[in-house]
Amino acid sequence: MSLRFFMYFCLMDKKRRYIIRPYSADFSQQWDDFVDASRNATFILRRGYMDYHADRFADRSLIISAADRIIALFAACEGDDGEIAAHAGLTYGGLIMPASGIDGADVVDIFNLITDHYRKAGYRRMRYKAIPHIFHRYPAEEDIYALFRSGATLAECNLSSTILLSNPIRFNENSRRNMRRAEAASLSVGLTRDFSPFWHILSDLLATRYDTRPVHSLDEITLLASRFPDNIRLITATNADGATVAGTVLYITPACVHAQYIAASPEGKAIGALPLVFRFAIDNLCSDARYFDFGTSNEHHGLYLNAGLLTQKNGMGGRGITYNIYTLDL
């Protein structure tokens, strides 16, 4: 598969000639520059984030050019059993589009070229994690249309809770009551660069309740936060003794501030610390964003909805948007 993968494929249409080539480290700066200027990508699609787990995911990303100019990128890795995954190691991946210069018809042609490339490389199926629209700087769902035209099916739908920051819904009475209790307990809320105490709480919570662990290890999240200090921020609540009792790791992007991790210790849960943490986040770190996203409340690939968790997030003003995953036979 690897020898065939590094072949170039071209498509001629009446508008332009597209050239597709596999990504290599020689193009890392061009990749990052394109991501930064795109209308739908975020910092997790920069190479400094994508490549932190390169030992676990074989990169199969593509660069699409026309007239010696990059016009699109495709973030992907090799999946299991003949699958190309866009992207297995990230929350989302797939087609990264420029601010201007290509339209829906172009994207259909480009997507056909991409699928033909992977088919000829020996892959039998594509798994595509679409970038949710809340992260788009400007509308960018031409890839969804191209998936439809290609015969893709919706394989997984996860429900997230999101606040429209220009017109937020007020925290409900239960959340406001919890904030008053947390304030009465003299909790201190603020930003920190020390991930260790929060990671202990998070790891204990996930192990106890879900028999799992964080996607990132403590070393990995610390590394990523050092590479992206403006994008990855940790807010914690500490008690009068200075012990961390709750917190959230935020991924800050131009359009959306996303809660990547949320956790509270038994003490933090009893005090009702999390609404105070999120009030701090919304008041202090969301001035430039359109949305605040609490993240999904699903398990088992979207088939189970944690109603209690959803109620908690909706009590702080969240309303539903979906994270969708498509599959396409090649």
Side-chain angles (χ1 to χ4, degrees), residues 14-323:
K14 63 183 180 181
K15 290 185 178 180
R16 66 181 91 192
R17 182 179 178 85
Y18 300 113
I19 299 174
I20 187 168
R21 57 173 58 88
Y23 168 80
S24 70
D26 294 339
F27 292 95
S28 62
Q29 189 59 57
Q30 294 98 313
W31 179 286
D32 285 350
D33 290 344
F34 191 92
V35 165
D36 291 345
S38 74
R39 55 189 156 110
N40 64 328
T42 70
F43 76 95
I44 75 167
L45 291 164
R46 286 174 59 93
R47 299 312 308 194
Y49 194 103
M50 289 182 66
D51 294 341
Y52 87 90
H53 49 22
D55 58 321
R56 301 202 299 273
F57 299 96
D59 191 90
R60 294 294 182 261
S61 299
L62 302 174
I63 297 173
I64 301 92
S65 302
D68 298 322
R69 180 173 62 90
I70 296 174
I71 60 167
L73 304 173
F74 195 81
C77 68
E78 190 165 299
D80 299 325
D81 301 324
E83 181 178 86
I84 195 74
H87 188 295
L90 302 171
T91 307
Y92 42 77
L95 192 65
I96 301 170
M97 290 178 270
S100 61
I102 62 173
D103 59 20
D106 296 317
V107 171
V108 169
D109 288 339
I110 290 167
F111 202 83
N112 288 337
L113 176 63
I114 289 168
T115 54
D116 187 54
H117 174 92
Y118 288 127
R119 185 183 305 111
K120 290 178 179 177
Y123 295 98
R124 301 192 303 272
R125 184 178 58 257
M126 177 183 290
R127 185 173 177 83
Y128 189 97
K129 297 180 182 178
I131 302 173
H133 72 270
I134 56 175
F135 296 100
H136 297 175
R137 294 181 182 87
Y138 205 77
E141 292 189 340
E142 290 90 343
D143 60 333
I144 305 300
Y145 177 70
L147 284 162
F148 163 73
R149 285 282 298 273
S150 298
T153 58
L154 180 64
E156 187 172 327
C157 180
N158 292 279
L159 184 62
S160 190
S161 300
T162 305
I163 296 172
L164 177 63
L165 292 168
S166 63
N167 187 23
I169 296 172
R170 188 185 184 198
F171 280 26
N172 68 11
E173 178 54 35
N174 186 59
S175 295
R176 296 198 303 272
R177 185 185 307 115
N178 283 336
M179 283 197 296
R180 291 192 294 268
R181 289 166 56 206
E183 289 169 341
S186 299
L187 290 188
S188 298
V189 179
L191 292 160
T192 178
R193 292 291 182 186
D194 183 5
F195 284 80
S196 182
F198 174 74
W199 228 248
H200 179 73
I201 293 171
L202 176 66
S203 299
D204 283 352
L205 173 68
L206 293 178
T208 302
R209 185 171 298 178
Y210 303 108
D211 192 28
T212 187
R213 59 185 179 181
V215 172
H216 302 94
S217 69
L218 174 60
D219 287 343
E220 287 172 340
I221 196 66
T222 301
L223 171 66
L224 290 171
S226 70
R227 290 181 178 178
F228 301 96
D230 295 329
N231 301 107
I232 301 177
R233 307 301 299 272
L234 171 61
I235 299 173
T236 58
T238 56
N239 63 19
D241 296 325
T244 299
V245 299
T248 182
V249 176
L250 301 179
Y251 277 22
I252 299 173
T253 73
C256 181
V257 175
H258 168 74
Q260 182 74 8
Y261 292 105
I262 304 168
S265 69
E267 177 186 352
K269 185 175 181 180
I271 296 171
L274 282 173
L276 196 63
V277 169
F278 285 116
R279 173 50 60 197
F280 179 94
I282 294 166
D283 289 345
N284 292 278
L285 295 176
C286 296
S287 58
D288 297 327
R290 292 198 296 272
Y291 300 101
F292 183 91
D293 182 46
F294 289 103
T296 61
S297 299
N298 298 94
E299 301 170 41
H300 306 305
H301 305 288
L303 294 176
Y304 174 76
L305 179 63
N306 187 328
L309 183 58
L310 183 68
T311 297
Q312 181 184 22
K313 294 172 180 177
N314 285 356
M316 292 181 282
R319 293 298 183 268
I321 67 102
T322 58
Y323 285 52

